[in-house]
């Protein structure tokens, strides 16, 4: 399957992507994970992205398109992909459309995960992430077995730099201004699948039903 996952920070894009990749061998492509790995490794890309990320602002469209142009042509994309956190702006969505036409790929849909703002805020402040493998935990509903240590890889499980209250509120504003318009964009493209995303399992069922049609 080839899907775009839309939704506010904390809507569950990463969780849903992981559940879906386990179904059919498609890969999860998270621009946030790619950027965080680059920051951690101290690469040129990481240096260019770091300040914007820390403030909860978006990284430039050019930088993101450079990453995605290469990423979507890697061999593991042959079995499909779930785009998590990309596209994030109308120019990215337009550039993606051109890129997909160039490489003759066709999307199965753009899934909009709808979650009420109070649920989002609660999820983001309690979310913890493994800095080595990107696994996501929640201090209340899904803590790692050993505090601060990833169940999957043993890496450190911490609160992200951009999950302070101030950065979270900024990320939600940026989302409402720059990313929410993508719902209308994909509706016009005839690709939108709008889902109530309070439960990740229900989301997976709704996507399966959509794909079977
Ligand atoms: P979230 O949990 O907010 O969805 P991500 O892990 O997707 O966070 O992204 C973290 C940060 O990385 C964003 O706040 C932004 O600075 C940067 N980023 C990720 N994807 C993009 C993108 N497609 N365009 C611009 N910036 C991006
Ligand atoms: Zn891990």
């Amino acid at each position: 399957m080839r899907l775009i996952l839309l939704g506010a920070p904390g809507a569950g894009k990463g969780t849903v992507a992981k559940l879906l990749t386990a179904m059919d061998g498609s890969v999860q492509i998270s621009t946030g994970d790619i950027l965080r790995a680059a920051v951690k490794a101290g690469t040129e890309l990481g240096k260019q992205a770091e300040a914007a990320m820390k403030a909860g602002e978006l990284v430039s469209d050019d930088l993101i398109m450079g990453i995605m142009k290469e990423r979507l042509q890697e061999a593991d994309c042959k079995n499909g992909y779930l785009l998590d956190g990309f596209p994030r702006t109308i120019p990215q969505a337009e550039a993606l459309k051109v890129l997909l036409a160039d490489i003759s790929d066709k999307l199965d849909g753009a899934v909009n995960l709808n979650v009420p703002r109070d649920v989002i805020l609660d999820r983001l402040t309690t979310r913890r992430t493994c800095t080595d493998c990107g696994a996501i935990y929640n201090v209340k509903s899904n803590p790692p077995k050993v505090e601060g240590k990833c169940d999957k890889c043993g890496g450190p499980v911490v609160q992200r730099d951009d999950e302070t209250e101030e950065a979270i509120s900024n990320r939600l504003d940026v989302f409402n201004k720059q990313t929410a318009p993508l719902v209308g964009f994909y509706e016009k493209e005839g690709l939108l699948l709008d889902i109530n995303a309070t439960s990740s399992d229900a989301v997976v069922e709704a996507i399966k039903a959509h794909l079977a049609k």
Side-chain angles (χ1 to χ4, degrees):
M1 67 185 107
R2 294 193 179 86
L3 291 176
I4 292 173
L5 298 173
L6 297 171
K13 298 184 295 291
T15 307
V16 166
K18 286 190 175 70
L19 292 169
L20 290 170
T21 54
M23 277 166 37
D24 76 342
S26 50
V27 287
Q28 174 189 12
I29 303 179
S30 157
T31 41
D33 284 351
I34 294 171
L35 293 169
R36 277 185 291 279
V39 169
K40 201 176 168 202
T43 64
E44 193 48 44
L45 169 67
K47 285 184 194 130
Q48 288 177 39
E50 193 166 11
M53 290 179 73
K54 198 157 182 178
E57 302 286 344
L58 294 185
V59 171
S60 81
D61 290 336
D62 285 348
L63 206 68
I64 296 289
M65 289 317 302
I67 297 172
M68 290 308 290
K69 194 169 177 204
E70 281 184 21
R71 184 66 189 89
L72 287 174
Q73 296 183 71
E74 280 172 30
D76 63 350
C77 288
K78 287 272 178 298
N79 297 324
Y81 39 77
L82 299 149
L83 304 183
D84 161 10
F86 169 86
R88 245 335 197 265
T89 63
I90 295 282
Q92 288 180 20
E94 276 164 354
L96 174 64
K97 191 175 168 184
V98 173
L99 171 59
L100 291 176
D102 279 351
I103 62 177
S104 303
D105 269 2
K106 216 168 161 286
L107 293 171
D108 297 306
V111 181
N112 184 35
L113 305 179
N114 277 303
V115 181
R117 191 184 163 97
D118 55 328
V119 177
I120 293 276
L121 281 174
D122 186 56
R123 279 190 193 167
L124 288 177
T125 47
T126 55
R127 179 155 90 174
R128 300 292 181 270
T129 309
C130 171
T131 59
D132 285 351
C133 76
I136 296 162
Y137 298 90
N138 183 292
V139 285
K140 284 195 224 154
S141 60
N142 174 34
K145 289 194 186 74
V146 179
E147 199 189 320
K149 199 168 166 207
C150 180
D151 294 349
K152 291 180 189 116
C153 79
V157 173
V158 301
Q159 186 160 28
R160 272 165 41 181
D161 272 357
D162 61 356
E163 288 181 346
T164 62
E165 219 162 291
E166 198 188 342
I168 287 172
S169 136
N170 199 26
R171 278 160 64 207
L172 290 175
D173 289 346
V174 167
F175 172 79
N176 287 329
K177 279 200 205 96
Q178 293 181 268
T179 308
L182 293 185
V183 172
F185 180 94
Y186 286 110
E187 190 165 28
K188 278 200 206 105
E189 297 279 312
L191 287 169
L192 188 70
L193 175 63
D194 212 14
I195 301 183
N196 171 333
T198 315
S199 138
S200 299
D201 289 331
V203 170
V204 170
E205 288 313 312
I207 292 173
K208 273 200 217 161
H210 169 79
L211 292 173
K213 269 195 244 157

